Amino acid sequence: MLVGLVLLYVGMVLFQNGLWLLGRIGDREVALPNFFSGAVLALVSLDLVMGGTLTLGAVKSAALILLFGITFLWVGFNQLNGNDGRGLGWYCLSVVAILLPITIESFRAAATIWDHWFALCWLLWATLYAMFFLLLVKGMRIGRPTGWMALFNSVVTGLLPGYLLLGGHLA
């Protein structure tokens, strides 16, 4: 159930950030959905490690969720303070370094359609974060492609699986 909640909010904020990168939303307008989504992910992570029996799986899930939650809080902070995003870009590169082995592990362990879909999600997130690094640190002029990738990821890796999980359509 918590996975569905997290994915729904990841999808919502990636959609907003994609629109922002495409120039459809102003800088300050994108701050609120980033702060809210980052807070939701932080609260879910806290619940995973403090709300029940502490297991390695719960800690791993909380850590991976926080990779995204910190990103969203950082984007919101940058939008309100006018930071250039280079620090966030370097953070995104470290996230890529974490997500690539997670992707490989997920594909190796995948047994169901959902397992394969979720493994693909890790790959798509790693790709998006690599694009964020190239955009923010290397200064590559890929704002529009990154915006489109964020919109694509919002639906494929967030909104759709989040909706299906919360609706009981995926196990």
Side-chain angles (χ1 to χ4, degrees):
M1 183 168 41
L2 288 177
V3 173
L5 173 70
V6 166
L7 290 177
L8 191 68
Y9 276 90
V10 166
M12 291 300 296
V13 77
L14 286 178
F15 190 82
Q16 297 298 310
N17 289 342
L19 291 174
W20 167 65
L21 286 166
L22 293 170
R24 306 282 188 204
I25 296 175
D27 290 351
R28 291 190 180 262
E29 283 186 297
V30 81
L32 180 61
N34 277 280
F35 281 129
F36 189 80
S37 296
V40 167
L41 272 59
L43 290 172
V44 168
S45 296
L46 284 174
D47 182 63
L48 286 171
V49 296
M50 299 177 92
T53 306
L54 191 59
T55 64
L56 180 59
V59 173
K60 181 179 179 181
S61 294
L64 294 175
I65 290 168
L66 282 175
L67 291 175
F68 298 96
I70 289 169
T71 303
F72 304 142
L73 292 171
W74 203 330
V75 169
F77 180 79
N78 283 352
Q79 294 316 309
L80 293 181
N81 291 301
N83 295 340
D84 65 10
R86 283 181 294 167
L88 175 59
W90 283 108
Y91 174 80
C92 289
L93 181 62
S94 68
V95 172
V96 171
I98 294 166
L99 294 184
L100 289 176
I102 296 295
T103 300
I104 293 166
E105 289 172 13
S106 297
F107 274 117
R108 284 185 179 159
T112 66
I113 291 173
W114 168 243
D115 292 341
H116 283 91
W117 188 348
F118 206 51
L120 177 63
C121 290
W122 291 117
L123 178 60
L124 291 171
W125 289 323
T127 302
L128 181 61
Y129 272 72
M131 293 175 80
F132 289 150
F133 168 75
L134 294 172
L135 177 69
L136 296 170
V137 174
K138 295 298 183 180
M140 291 180 70
R141 297 187 184 275
I142 58 168
R144 291 193 61 76
T146 305
W148 284 110
M149 184 64 167
L151 288 174
F152 177 77
N153 275 5
S154 76
V155 174
V156 173
T157 71
L159 295 172
L160 185 57
Y163 168 78
L164 292 172
L165 284 166
L166 291 174
H169 306 291
L170 287 174

